[in-house]
Amino acid sequence: MTTVFDDCARRYSDEVQSSIDFSGLRHDFFLAAKADVLARVLRDHFGAAKPSAALDIGCGIGLLHPHLAPLFEELVAVDSSAASIEQARRSNPGVAYATSDGSLPYGDETFDVVLAVCVIHHVPPGDWHAFAGEMHRVTRKGGLICVIEHNPLNPLTRLAVSRCSFDADAVLLTAGRTRALLEKAGGSSIRTEFFLILPSRRPLAASIEKSLARLPLGAQYIVSAKA
Ligand SMILES: C[S@@+](CC[C@H](N)C(=O)[O-])C[C@H]1O[C@@H](n2cnc3c(N)ncnc32)[C@H](O)[C@@H]1O
């Protein structure tokens, strides 16, 4: 089946950039911010040890992978769009890619870390529990499940989503909804952080962000759960 992401794989970066141009920032700034938050959450969970294998579900054209690959011994990634996977593979030869939609082609407890970055809002709500269940199933006991999503309570996030053609089907989830999904799937020690409150590289912005991370202000949030 061809997905909307197959149709837009070649112009994906341009589409995202034009939806966030009003911020005056490049898309790579937002990708780096997601990777930074993720790296901190991983350090808090695993300490100094590098997690061995990670799975990134809904990886798109692999734009995050130059940032993510150094965080793991091995990075595996899937997407339901074959055209996106083809492009991701060309850009990131060190990552193991596969197409997948729905049930994941991996055994139980295969990965230390399982991620879904800005994916669940494209999954039909009736499939959200099954999606979270699959994330949990392929994560090793004691490993970490991480979901990064748009924060629907942030007006600038809503503006960006309304300007993005491939977000026409998007059903945004609050952080509370995502927490509930991961908890129902069997996750524990669930933690939520909001980020991109002050989109700026200045060190002061980073420390203000950290101190406000519990308030639902940021453009994005991360929910992590121990499997
Ligand atoms: C907005 S893009 C995010 C891409 C990437 N995670 C990033 O942050 O740059 C959402 C991606 O999720 C994929 N997707 C949607 N539902 C999926 C599913 N059930 N399984 C795998 N991929 C899915 C889409 O094909 C698309 O590439």
Side-chain angles (χ1 to χ4, degrees), residues 1-6 55-59 77-82 85 97-106 119-120 122-124 127-128 130-132 134-135 137 169:
M1 187 184 76
T2 308
T3 73
V4 64
F5 288 97
D6 284 312
L55 173 66
D56 180 21
I57 305 172
C59 63
V78 297
D79 198 283
S80 48
S81 156
I85 285 295
Y97 290 102
T99 49
S100 158
D101 192 2
S103 38
L104 296 166
Y106 306 105
V119 180
I120 301 183
H122 291 293
V123 173
D127 295 340
W128 284 352
F131 187 94
E134 276 294 274
M135 290 187 85
R137 179 184 69 77
D169 72 337

Side-chain angles (χ1 to χ4, degrees), residues 31-50:
L31 294 169
K34 290 177 203 189
D36 285 350
V37 168
L38 194 58
R40 186 152 39 78
V41 169
L42 293 174
R43 262 197 315 275
D44 289 350
H45 186 79
F46 293 99
K50 214 184 212 187

